[in-house]
Amino acid sequence: MTIEVKNIVKKFGAFAALDNVDLKVGDGELLALLGPSGSGKTTLLRIIAGLDWPDAGEVSIGGEDALARGASERQVGFVFQHYALFRHMTVFENVAFGLRVQPRAIRKDEATIRARVKELLDLVQLDWLANRYPSQLSGGQRQRIALARALAIEPRILLLDEPFGALDAKVRKELRRWLRSLHSEIHVTSIFVTHDQEEALEVANRVVVMDKGRIEQIGTPGDVYDNPATAFVHGFIGESIVLPVDVSGGSVRLGGRPLNIAANGAASGASNLFVRRHDMQIGPAGSGALEGAVRHVRSFGPIQRAEVALSGGEGKTVIEIDAPRDRELRAGETVSLQPRRYRIFAAQR
Amino acid sequence: MTMQSGLATSPTQLRVYAPTADLDVASPPSREQERARAIVSPRDSRTEPGPVRFVIIALALTFLTVFVVLPLVVVFAQAFSKGISSYVAALTEPEALSAIRLTLLVAAISVGLNLVFGVIAAWAIAKFDFRGKTFLITLIDLPFSVSPVISGLVFVLLFGAQGYFGPWLQAHNIHVLFAVPGIALATVFVTFPFVARALIPLMQEQGTQEEEAAISLGASGLQTFFRVTLPNIKWGLLYGVLLCNARAMGEFGAVSVVSGHIRGETNTMPLLVEILYNEYQFVASFAIASLLAMLALITLVVKTVLERRLDEGQIPSDD
Ligand SMILES: Nc1ncnc2c1ncn2[C@@H]1O[C@H](COP(=O)(O)OP(=O)(O)OP(=O)(O)O)[C@@H](O)[C@H]1O
Ligand SMILES: [Mg+2]
């Protein structure tokens, strides 16, 4: 089932929570929606599910106009950011809910419902919790029950709003893998919201990066990491060093001093140079675009992280870089730095 | 995102972007920190020295005894002062039976109506945003802030012979004032806030998440209400109904104004208590009063039980 969102605008008062959002999700795809807090991720999901209505735009699910139907008719599985399990029902009844409220004409008999719930609880590996109440479950268990409940109605599409947001890093990692294998098993078109870039990159086929109610970039995990479309994406996905530079006629200057790097077609004016920490190559003094004194080195795993105070300019600019362990760095040493890969984006005013 | 233009001159001016994964693990205060805080906190300042505590408790108990327990005891003592048979006789008088019947009827009507109105009002206030919401909340509290006598008078002004609807009602031979409808109306008005007030905070705290989940699972509005909303508020609802009922049965002022005191017809129990008392029929008067007192005691017990259920119902929030 495909999902298509066209020119969606959603305003709360004068504030635009969604500003002309366009999105297509292919059949059976698992799409990650990534963005900082308040970027409009939940709002977009709610509109797709029919829990909110857009001020303008279109939503279609499986080629049908979804806005013509209410939330209860859309058959959308929604896993809420805060689970929203029915607190007065057992786990079993929570999962059975969607089956019990079906119109009489298509409602299944009790035995079928029981079998189906059992099956779903097996799927999320929590059949032994059937008689507990939500308050007696751990966060990760609640999350999986919420997912089982959403799957019970055989949803045409599945929307997961930060399903692992409230869990600790380890459980998150486990559930994330589990979700990925679950998806390859049941193949339902899914949108998965997160503000954790690692999670998005690991789980999804495609990643949508949002900021301030707009879509900044859509691409494969590799794409958004290697070819960020905007300064925001570069800063948000992966860690970046940002240096304020001036671009004029193809030359790049840092604090008035020319940097020996190409502008790569960046427009003239105040700009920012973005370099990934591990894309700064360290060389002997006098051989690179930048120079600085190593102030502090920490080694862990395969890399060493060095704090380098850049020389030149009036004050001290300190950046953190990651270097492989093969070349030993010492505090106090003067080194040159050459960006291997970098991007220049016009500075925002 | 803020970015500087020009040269960064100090280390802090330079931004190194970290993935949010690092940012969002805001570490909660550790056990150690919390323990440290507990030790530092001047816990002893809340505990008064022994004698002071004793005096305060003794004062409270004396006050309660004089103003609550003593009157209750007196009511029962007076009611049974001429023996059980005269107590039973007083309660089985036709006038007394009629008053009891009327009180039960009026209470049933007001509890029934206020149950429906209260749930609807609380639902509207807690689950939707609309203009005039604060005004509605204020309006719900109005019966509490107006003297019951005034509430009664309002109905006299509306439905009395000289009132707005008086002539029309007379022309159609409908009796509101000095009849059951008037008494019921006045009682409904006076007891309106109880159910709504019990439910609003409860429903506001629970939010709309579970309802939204139900709807996205295909439930209709009614199914959502009866399967999700109602079970979640049932203890609060019972609590409101209980208080509403107690007040409906015990209401004097508003009912007194609209009742007309027609013996055997429009006297409720509280009204009859006063009439009998004024006629020096102390045993009869206190016998009826003892019924009201028992209602109060039962209400108190049930209320305590319900409050405990309500507290237990406070399931720790999901996040
Ligand atoms: N009912 C509402 N009334 C007013 N403003 C709202 C409402 N719901 C959301 N907003 C605003 O819309 C913006 C987007 O909210 P949304 O919940 O979609 O963010 P999000 O991307 O899901 O964030 P998070 O990662 O914190 O969950 C926020 O600035 C929020 O304050
Ligand atoms: Mg959200």
Side-chain angles (χ1 to χ4, degrees):
Chain A
M1 205 67 64
T2 57
I3 307 173
E4 203 170 336
V5 168
K6 264 194 214 145
N7 302 325
I8 289 287
V9 176
K10 173 71 185 174
K11 293 201 162 125
F12 293 108
F15 172 79
L18 291 178
D19 189 2
N20 245 321
V21 169
D22 259 307
L23 183 61
K24 270 188 199 170
V25 190
D27 191 21
E29 194 176 1
L30 175 54
L31 183 89
L33 201 54
L34 181 62
S37 191
S39 54
K41 308 180 295 291
T42 299
T43 308
L44 181 58
L45 285 205
R46 288 173 59 84
I47 286 175
I48 296 174
L51 298 172
D52 255 330
W53 295 86
D55 295 312
E58 292 167 33
V59 178
S60 60
I61 299 173
E64 289 170 14
D65 178 16
L67 294 181
R69 298 166 174 234
S72 60
E73 296 159 351
R74 287 195 199 176
Q75 229 183 332
V76 169
F78 202 118
V79 177
F80 292 83
Q81 197 163 358
H82 301 294
Y83 324 125
L85 292 175
F86 305 124
R87 68 190 91 185
H88 66 282
M89 292 183 203
T90 60
V91 161
F92 186 95
E93 286 305 319
N94 261 282
V95 178
F97 186 89
L99 301 170
R100 295 205 194 281
V101 297
Q102 280 181 334
R104 203 169 293 266
I106 58 166
R107 196 184 308 158
K108 301 178 183 63
D109 61 59
E110 181 65 20
T112 318
I113 290 179
R114 296 202 148 261
R116 174 88 182 118
V117 172
K118 172 89 179 50
E119 202 179 294
L120 283 162
L121 288 177
D122 281 341
L123 182 73
V124 296
Q125 299 154 6
L126 290 178
D127 48 321
W128 51 286
L129 290 176
N131 294 318
R132 295 244 194 119
Y133 284 89
S135 59
Q136 301 165 322
L137 303 182
S138 75
Q141 291 166 342
R142 284 181 207 178
Q143 201 51 265
R144 281 186 279 169
I145 296 303
L147 185 57
R149 181 178 70 173
L151 290 174
I153 59 169
E154 286 169 31
R156 304 193 301 159
I157 60 171
L158 191 59
L159 307 176
L160 304 119
D161 194 358
E162 296 201 33
F164 313 137
L167 307 176
D168 70 60
K170 186 155 176 287
V171 179
R172 244 159 117 133
K173 266 211 167 91
E174 266 166 40
L175 281 182
R176 176 193 301 174
R177 253 175 238 132
W178 174 81
L179 178 72
R180 179 128 190 88
S181 66
L182 181 78
H183 181 261
S184 58
E185 218 171 290
I186 58 178
H187 264 302
V188 56
T189 310
S190 310
I191 301 182
F192 170 92
V193 165
T194 175
H195 60 237
D196 177 346
Q197 39 120 1
E198 201 187 315
E199 197 159 281
L201 301 185
E202 192 172 319
V203 171
N205 315 103
R206 252 181 351 135
V207 177
V208 177
V209 184
M210 283 185 75
D211 183 40
K212 298 188 185 120
R214 293 167 177 274
I215 290 183
E216 294 272 320
Q217 187 172 7
I218 305 180
T220 61
D223 244 8
V224 291
Y225 188 86
D226 293 331
N227 300 307
T230 63
F232 170 80
V233 177
H234 204 306
F236 188 68
I237 310 262
E239 291 175 274
S240 305
I241 297 163
V242 189
L243 292 171
V245 294
D246 272 310
V247 179
S248 57
S251 83
V252 183
R253 289 163 176 273
L254 174 66
R257 222 161 50 84
L259 287 181
N260 192 15
I261 57 175
N264 289 350
S268 294
S271 307
N272 283 302
L273 172 71
F274 283 74
V275 190
R276 303 258 181 235
R277 280 180 178 175
H278 55 82
D279 279 338
M280 247 342 165
Q281 178 152 23
I282 297 183
S287 66
L290 294 157
E291 213 161 79
V294 177
R295 297 215 314 191
H296 187 76
V297 185
R298 274 176 301 150
S299 299
F300 44 86
I303 61 153
Q304 47 189 343
R305 178 161 299 170
E307 259 177 37
V308 180
L310 296 184
S311 39
E314 311 95 73
K316 285 227 168 75
T317 300
V318 179
I319 60 175
E320 277 196 338
I321 56 168
D322 289 344
R325 293 281 285 271
D326 51 9
R327 183 191 188 286
E328 204 182 320
L329 288 172
R330 265 186 311 274
E333 185 180 355
T334 303
V335 293
S336 75
L337 300 169
Q338 178 70 36
R340 253 184 305 244
R341 294 160 56 93
Y342 58 92
R343 296 292 297 267
I344 297 170
F345 294 103
Q348 287 164 353
R349 262 165 291 264
Chain B
M1 174 172 26
T2 54
M3 288 190 212
Q4 303 85 24
S5 48
L7 181 69
T9 50
S10 78
T12 47
Q13 259 183 296
L14 192 88
R15 282 190 64 141
V16 173
Y17 290 91
T20 44
D22 289 342
L23 292 176
D24 75 3
V25 270
S27 57
S30 68
R31 286 266 159 80
E32 258 82 337
Q33 278 170 323
E34 296 210 315
R35 208 172 300 140
R37 205 173 300 143
I39 292 167
V40 170
S41 81
R43 194 188 302 168
D44 287 336
S45 68
R46 260 179 296 147
T47 338
E48 301 298 333
V52 178
R53 224 186 310 164
F54 177 79
V55 170
I56 292 175
I57 294 173
L59 267 177
L61 281 181
T62 316
F63 192 85
L64 268 178
T65 316
V66 171
F67 288 98
V68 180
V69 180
L70 216 57
L72 266 179
V73 173
V74 170
V75 166
F76 284 96
Q78 283 286 340
F80 289 101
S81 62
K82 298 265 164 59
I84 293 198
S85 54
S86 35
Y87 176 81
V88 173
L91 288 185
T92 45
E93 284 274 317
E95 255 182 46
L97 286 179
S98 145
I100 293 171
R101 226 176 290 129
L102 180 60
T103 301
L104 290 178
L105 175 67
V106 168
I109 293 173
S110 13
V111 166
L113 287 180
N114 281 338
L115 184 74
V116 176
F117 293 156
V119 169
I120 292 174
W123 175 281
I125 285 170
K127 314 256 166 172
F128 301 110
D129 274 322
F130 53 90
R131 288 167 126 234
K133 188 158 145 173
T134 34
F135 180 65
L136 187 59
I137 296 175
T138 317
L139 215 56
I140 285 176
D141 281 340
L142 185 71
F144 274 178
S145 49
V146 171
S147 157
V149 177
I150 311 282
S151 310
L153 274 177
V154 170
F155 289 98
V156 173
L157 288 178
L158 284 177
F159 302 115
Q162 271 78 48
Y164 290 109
F165 304 112
W168 186 88
L169 289 171
Q170 245 163 4
H172 292 78
N173 201 21
I174 301 171
H175 301 282
V176 174
L177 227 49
F178 313 137
V180 176
I183 299 173
L185 273 176
T187 312
V188 167
F189 179 79
V190 171
T191 56
F192 179 75
F194 287 104
V195 174
R197 287 281 292 251
L199 291 185
I200 290 170
L202 194 64
M203 286 174 120
Q204 270 174 340
E205 186 204 301
Q206 290 176 350
T208 48
Q209 286 191 13
E210 289 186 37
E211 277 85 4
E212 286 185 343
I215 285 171
S216 82
L217 288 168
S220 66
L222 277 183
Q223 282 173 323
T224 304
F225 178 76
F226 283 108
R227 285 168 183 261
V228 176
T229 309
L230 202 55
N232 274 341
I233 59 170
K234 65 179 175 222
W235 296 118
L237 191 61
L238 273 177
Y239 184 82
V241 161
L242 181 80
L243 295 185
C244 177
N245 179 60
R247 178 70 188 266
M249 290 190 172
E251 177 56 27
F252 181 86
V255 172
S256 171
V257 175
V258 297
S259 137
H261 305 278
I262 306 169
R263 302 195 85 142
E265 267 184 50
T266 62
N267 276 335
T268 60
M269 284 160 72
L271 297 185
L272 188 61
V273 170
E274 200 219 8
I275 290 172
L276 293 173
Y277 184 82
N278 286 340
E279 293 173 350
Y280 304 107
Q281 303 188 39
F282 295 126
V283 170
S285 166
F286 281 102
I288 310 269
S290 74
L291 289 186
L292 289 171
M294 266 189 284
L295 168 75
L297 289 177
I298 294 170
T299 302
L300 269 184
V301 172
V302 179
K303 179 169 167 281
T304 313
V305 172
L306 283 180
E307 271 166 0
R308 200 163 303 155
R309 291 312 289 252
L310 268 172
D311 278 347
E312 279 167 17
Q314 307 292 330
I315 290 163
S317 78
D318 283 337
D319 40 341

